[in-house]
């Protein structure tokens, strides 16, 4: 095989990842702090994220599907893995063989696990107002969960990133459920939930986005560091004369003679068209505004003020999640999970 160097890389800072986890763990007080690593750790690479966080002391990991769990085996020593989507009929072989627990999310799944789970431990999701996955509170009554070996009883906050009255309502319901349903541990808070305060932490927190550089609420600003830095190589630098246009639809016209760098990256890489008009990059500290439309595999930047920039140089995209979300209209989650497979993930 020939080693083909990638013209796109996602520079990933393990130092920032671990620092973010430590801050979230400190905010979680006496609760353990886990990590949601579903969707390939929000696009950063679940195996590497798990390795770095396990080395830092994180013990509780969460994925969405059994395929994601299978891709992570063998697990690092001493860690536990839970699968949010639970034990569907088609999941049972995986659920009985892989070293992970289902998060049972319906009475059907509870019955299935009792029948075929061979007494193995499970987690259970209780719905306290999200109405997505989880047993309704009233379904936990009447011994519905008797006989299960419940490791973690979970619920999920719907509006923790907002100052919504729903947060306190969900907290109150979860406290009631906690009195009624025995489990070894109780877990409610995602990243934003951790920022709501120690009342929300219970025994175990489950941050995702904040580990990866997202700011879930203002309380985290100044504490959470950017982890993922997308970089693209310049394919060519061209001279564009005043009055000429660049790219599809001719949406950018050179106001003066300009130099334009064409970067090896586009919407097929998850760098979407909505970045046009506000996106940018840097080269050796110089700001390079994005110009024209984003194409499938190419994006143009104005490098008129960037001195000696040339073919083969790397551009670092402006991709700090909170500010990029604010200007693009995409969520911080979409910004990270959308980054495509052509980015080579490079941990530093
Ligand atoms: C994704 C997810 C998390 C992590 O949420 P963030 O907002 O990324 O911190 C926690 N719990 C559940 C059930 C999830 O689906």
């Amino acid at each position: 095989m020939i080693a083909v160097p990638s013209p796109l890389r996602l520079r990933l800072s393990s130092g920032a990842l671990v620092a973010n986890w430590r801050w979230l763990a400190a905010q979680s007080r006496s609760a353990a702090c886990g990590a949601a690593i579903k969707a390939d750790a929000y696009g950063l690479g679940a195996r590497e994220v798990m390795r770095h966080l396990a080395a830092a002391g994180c013990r509780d990991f969460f994925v969405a599907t059994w395929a994601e769990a299978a891709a992570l085996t063998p697990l690092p020593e001493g860690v536990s893995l839970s699968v949010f989507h639970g034990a569907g009929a088609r999941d049972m072989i995986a659920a009985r063989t892989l070293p992970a627990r289902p998060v049972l999310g319906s009475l059907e799944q509870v019955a299935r696990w009792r029948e075929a789970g061979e007494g193995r431990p499970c987690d259970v999701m209780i719905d306290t107002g999200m109405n997505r996955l989880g047993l309704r509170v009233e379904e936990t009554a009447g011994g519905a969960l008797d006989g299960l070996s419940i490791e973690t009883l979970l619920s999920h906050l719907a509006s923790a990133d907002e100052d919504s009255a729903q947060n306190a309502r969900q907290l109150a319901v979860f406290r009631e459920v906690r009195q009624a349903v025995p489990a070894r541990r109780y877990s409610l808070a995602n990243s934003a939930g951790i920022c709501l305060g120690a009342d929300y932490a219970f025994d175990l927190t489950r941050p995702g986005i904040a580990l990866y550089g997202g700011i879930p609420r203002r309380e985290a600003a100044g504490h959470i560091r950017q982890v993922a830095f997308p970089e693209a190589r310049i394919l060519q630098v061209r001279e564009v004369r005043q009055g000429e246009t660049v790219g599809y639809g001719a949406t950018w016209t050179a106001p003066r003679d300009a130099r334009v760098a064409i970067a090896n990256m586009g919407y097929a890489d998850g760098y979407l068209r909505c970045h046009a008009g506000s996106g940018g990059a840097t080269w050796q500290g110089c700001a390079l505004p994005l110009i024209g439309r984003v194409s499938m595999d190419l994006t143009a930047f104005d490098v008129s003020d960037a001195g000696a920039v040339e073919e083969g140089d790397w551009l670092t995209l402006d991709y700090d999640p909170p500010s990029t979300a604010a200007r693009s209209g995409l969520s911080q989650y979409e910004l990270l999970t959308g980054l495509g497979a052509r980015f080579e993930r490079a941990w530093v």
Side-chain angles (χ1 to χ4, degrees), residues 85-97:
H85 294 187
R90 284 155 217 83
D91 298 325
M92 288 308 288
I93 292 175
R96 282 160 53 183
T97 35

Side-chain angles (χ1 to χ4, degrees), residues 10-324:
L10 188 57
R11 188 161 49 80
L12 294 159
S13 166
S14 56
L17 173 75
V18 168
N20 292 343
W21 180 76
R22 288 196 205 287
W23 186 77
L24 292 159
Q27 301 308 111
S28 302
R29 308 283 186 85
S30 60
C33 183
I37 56 169
K38 62 197 183 191
D40 205 21
Y42 295 36
L44 277 56
R47 177 169 285 282
E48 288 294 284
V49 165
M50 188 185 224
R51 190 169 69 77
H52 289 298
L53 291 181
C58 182
R59 289 287 165 266
D60 300 277
F61 293 88
F62 298 86
V63 290
T65 68
W66 288 97
E68 291 179 342
L72 286 168
T73 58
L75 302 179
E77 193 61 33
V79 310
S80 120
L81 184 62
S82 297
V83 180
F84 282 141
H85 294 187
R90 284 155 217 83
D91 298 325
M92 288 308 288
I93 292 175
R96 282 160 53 183
T97 35
L98 289 170
R101 292 189 304 277
V103 181
L104 305 178
S106 66
L107 283 178
E108 289 76 12
Q109 292 196 354
V110 167
R112 191 174 292 128
W113 194 249
R114 192 177 276 121
E115 185 98 338
E118 298 162 349
R120 296 178 59 188
C122 59
D123 297 342
V124 173
M125 175 69 75
I126 306 295
D127 182 67
T128 54
M130 175 72 122
N131 271 310
R132 208 174 54 171
L133 299 177
L135 278 74
R136 298 185 65 87
V137 173
E138 59 269 25
E139 290 177 329
T140 64
L145 297 170
D146 288 358
L148 291 182
S149 165
I150 304 178
E151 170 67 26
T152 310
L153 192 84
L154 296 79
S155 191
H156 193 47
L157 296 164
S159 305
D161 58 340
E162 295 168 25
D163 294 328
S164 163
Q166 189 179 22
N167 298 324
R169 280 203 301 274
Q170 287 195 261
L171 177 63
V173 174
F174 192 61
R175 281 186 169 142
E176 279 172 30
V177 174
R178 179 168 172 251
Q179 295 309 316
V181 181
R184 203 174 78 75
R185 296 196 293 181
Y186 298 83
S187 174
L188 178 62
N190 61 347
S191 303
I194 292 170
C195 296
L196 291 176
D199 284 355
Y200 287 79
F202 294 89
D203 304 305
L204 170 66
T205 57
R206 316 183 302 268
I209 192 73
L211 292 169
Y212 311 122
I215 307 284
R217 292 180 58 93
R218 61 188 174 279
E219 292 87 346
H223 300 287
I224 293 297
R225 288 163 53 186
Q226 185 174 354
V227 175
F229 300 83
E231 299 180 331
R233 261 201 211 282
I234 294 173
L235 287 171
Q236 61 174 250
V237 177
R238 40 192 314 124
E239 308 294 328
V240 175
R241 308 234 169 86
Q242 179 179 19
E244 290 184 343
T245 63
V246 170
Y248 283 121
T251 58
W252 187 82
T253 305
R256 53 184 167 120
D257 289 355
R259 293 173 72 233
V260 171
I262 309 299
N264 194 114
M265 171 203 61
Y267 58 75
D269 302 300
Y271 191 74
L272 301 185
R273 285 161 41 111
C274 58
H275 293 296
S278 69
T282 54
W283 174 85
Q284 296 191 1
C286 299
L288 313 176
L290 188 167
I291 55 178
R293 286 192 187 155
V294 175
S295 306
M296 185 183 294
D297 315 296
L298 300 168
T299 305
F301 295 89
D302 184 354
V303 298
S304 303
D305 300 326
V309 64
E310 61 183 10
E311 177 193 322
D313 287 355
W314 289 98
L315 301 184
T316 302
L317 293 179
D318 297 344
Y319 217 73
D320 173 51
S323 50
T324 310

